Amino acid sequence: MRIGIDKMAFATTNDYLDLVELAKERDVDPNKFTIGIGQDLQAVVPPTQDIVTLGATAAKKLLTPELEKNISTVIVATESGIDNSKASAIYIKHLLGLSDFTRTVEMKEACYSATAAIQFAKGVVALNPQETVLVIAADIARYGLNTPGEVTQGAGAVAMLISQNPHILTLEDTTVAYSKDIMDFWRPLYATEALVDGKYSTNVYIEFFLQTFTRYQQLTGRELADFAALTFHMPFTKMGKKGLEGLLKDRNDEVAQRLRTQLTASQLFSRQVGNLYTGSLYLSLMSLLQNSDLRAGSRIGLFSYGSGAEGEFYTGILEDGYEHYMNNIQEELKHRHQVSVAEYEKLFSSQLGMNDRDIEFDVTNDPLPFVLKGQKDHQRIYEAK
């Protein structure tokens, strides 16, 4: 039985910040952001949006009445959870109007958990081939204003349907997971912004990629020439380049040149949105598929990484007509609204966060189909517009 990614969709906020403007305001050379980090634009989150509204917006783009009947499970992978007990998947299931006979769960392991969700979904479909699993990777990356990590913030959600006979990517059986107890990035329960050792985290990321890829080669006997492209988790696009170059080193043959070219294609959307945490790998996959000329039958490698730390390398085979089963991301990004640095700072500081008070947000200017209206009696209030 072939099982894999049947459809994909991406959603982000309507507002973005130009990082050249941020660099000028922070008295930093813009090249440090656009070249050194590899980021151009960054999604800005209004208080009316969170992982629930973004996840529901992405999923809504996938669904038809016929597909909804087959969804047995909704898995939300996130490190931006809104409750220490209740799964965000329950809110999303309700907003989407899915059947109450639906399993809902939330998964966490930094930026890695969407990959675990896909593997779990694959197992569900293997046991119940008639079922489809909705996997949503939704996150808001926050490091604080005027901090070293500010340039690697971002927000968005990638929604995927996992089913038999998929239209985008058939997942191959061999996967390699690798984990160690490492403090390169974490967020204590009392903090709304993450703590990170950036240089250490980059080194761990490269190590985990090389460990998992080498082990994969040992298990399968495959070489780099067997891959049309390699995709990476990209909290910032330069991270993916560091991973690939850690493998290629000085190699500059036809295979190496092809992989570098495809990496560039996979970076394009992340450069315009920023860090998606759990969704970053899957936005890079969508960017690759929408900005390259890969053919059906091509093998794509995927490296997933989550600080703390866990990595996984796995592969998929591209299906014929894959391009028809995703939303057009570049076209949608054209219609966003640019905000000034001052506006960005105001929006950043207006989030609900850990506030325990009743609050009502003005949702009239938010164009997305789902919004967070506020909080009442310690309960978040969502609305389908």
Side-chain angles (χ1 to χ4, degrees), residues 252-271:
N252 199 33
D253 57 14
E254 182 180 350
V255 171
Q257 291 178 16
R258 181 183 75 241
L259 294 177
R260 289 186 177 106
T261 297
Q262 302 295 18
L263 176 71
T264 299
S266 74
Q267 294 172 321
L268 294 178
F269 294 157
S270 293
R271 292 188 70 97

Side-chain angles (χ1 to χ4, degrees), residues 11-29:
T12 188
T13 61
N14 188 55
D15 298 323
Y16 74 91
L17 175 68
D18 188 323
L19 294 180
V20 171
E21 296 302 315
L22 180 65
K24 292 177 181 177
E25 183 67 25
R26 301 291 186 252
D27 196 24
V28 173
D29 181 354

Side-chain angles (χ1 to χ4, degrees), residues 112-178:
Y112 161 77
S113 60
T115 296
I118 288 173
Q119 299 298 352
F120 292 172
K122 183 180 177 183
V124 170
V125 176
L127 290 172
N128 304 281
Q130 76 282 4
E131 295 183 4
T132 295
V133 179
L134 171 59
V135 172
I136 300 171
D139 266 304
I140 296 172
R142 287 172 61 94
Y143 295 96
L145 300 175
N146 207 9
T147 63
E150 184 177 30
V151 69
T152 61
Q153 297 178 140
V158 177
M160 297 169 276
L161 294 179
I162 309 301
S163 71
Q164 67 169 329
N165 302 321
H167 287 102
I168 295 179
L169 195 72
T170 293
L171 302 180
E172 296 189 287
D173 289 336
T174 302
T175 71
V176 178
Y178 186 79

Side-chain angles (χ1 to χ4, degrees), residues 63 68 71 74 92-100 102 134:
L63 300 181
E68 290 175 8
I71 293 177
V74 178
I92 292 176
K93 187 223 79 168
H94 174 72
L95 287 173
L96 295 175
L98 298 178
S99 167
D100 287 345
T102 303
L134 171 59

Side-chain angles (χ1 to χ4, degrees), residues 7 21 36 44 75 102 180 196 202 214 228 240 246 265 329 376 380:
K7 295 179 72 176
E21 296 302 315
V44 174
I75 307 175
T102 303
K180 285 185 177 182
V196 59
T202 298
T214 299
I329 295 177
K376 184 175 178 59
R380 290 189 176 219

